[in-house]
Amino acid sequence: QVQLVESGGGLVQAGGSLRLSCAASGRIFGVNNMGWFRQAPGKQRELVAFITGSGDSTKYADSVKGRFTISRENTKNTVFLQMNSLKPEDTAVYYCKLWNVVRGFWGQGTQVTVSS
């Protein structure tokens, strides 16, 4: 099994910044993509950003482009999400995910709340 533990969520004012971290441990094999998803109350879970196993390719949701940056440290199986210029609409539970073509694993989620 693989365990993912997120940290770094919290309450911040609009315009502020937060940095989320996600550490993966357990039976991790091969090259895995890692990414961040979020789910706001009453809405479906959506992709925020992901980074490929090699770290040379990233993808962002249009709503966060230019404000969020995803990065990873492969030696520690850790992925980060730097969130700047936060908006109230960024409020959600943020989930980390690790996946490859065979399987995927989710973290438990961390709450991000942006006040106006």
Side-chain angles (χ1 to χ4, degrees):
Q1 270 292 46
V2 174
Q3 296 78 42
L4 299 171
V5 179
E6 300 107 333
S7 61
L11 173 64
V12 64
Q13 289 188 333
S17 298
L18 285 174
R19 187 177 190 238
L20 304 183
S21 300
C22 172
S25 61
R27 298 173 61 83
I28 301 170
F29 303 109
V31 178
N32 296 273
N33 300 316
M34 295 188 76
W36 292 93
F37 294 72
R38 67 186 180 186
Q39 188 167 17
K43 295 188 177 181
Q44 290 188 334
R45 190 173 297 189
E46 63 176 359
L47 172 70
V48 176
F50 81 86
I51 185 167
T52 56
S54 61
D56 60 359
S57 183
T58 58
K59 181 177 175 65
Y60 295 91
D62 288 342
S63 59
V64 307
K65 283 181 181 177
R67 300 188 296 121
F68 291 10
T69 303
I70 190 170
S71 60
R72 67 185 295 166
E73 186 174 349
N74 280 344
T75 56
K76 297 183 179 180
N77 290 313
T78 302
V79 65
F80 306 95
L81 186 68
Q82 179 65 43
M83 305 186 294
N84 299 328
S85 302
L86 282 161
K87 304 175 181 180
E89 50 264 43
D90 294 319
T91 295
V93 178
Y94 284 69
Y95 297 90
C96 175
K97 184 178 182 181
L98 178 148
W99 75 94
N100 55 34
V101 294
V102 177
R103 58 180 189 166
F105 299 91
W106 292 92
Q108 82 286 352
T110 185
Q111 177 70 45
V112 171
T113 302
V114 184
S115 63
S116 57

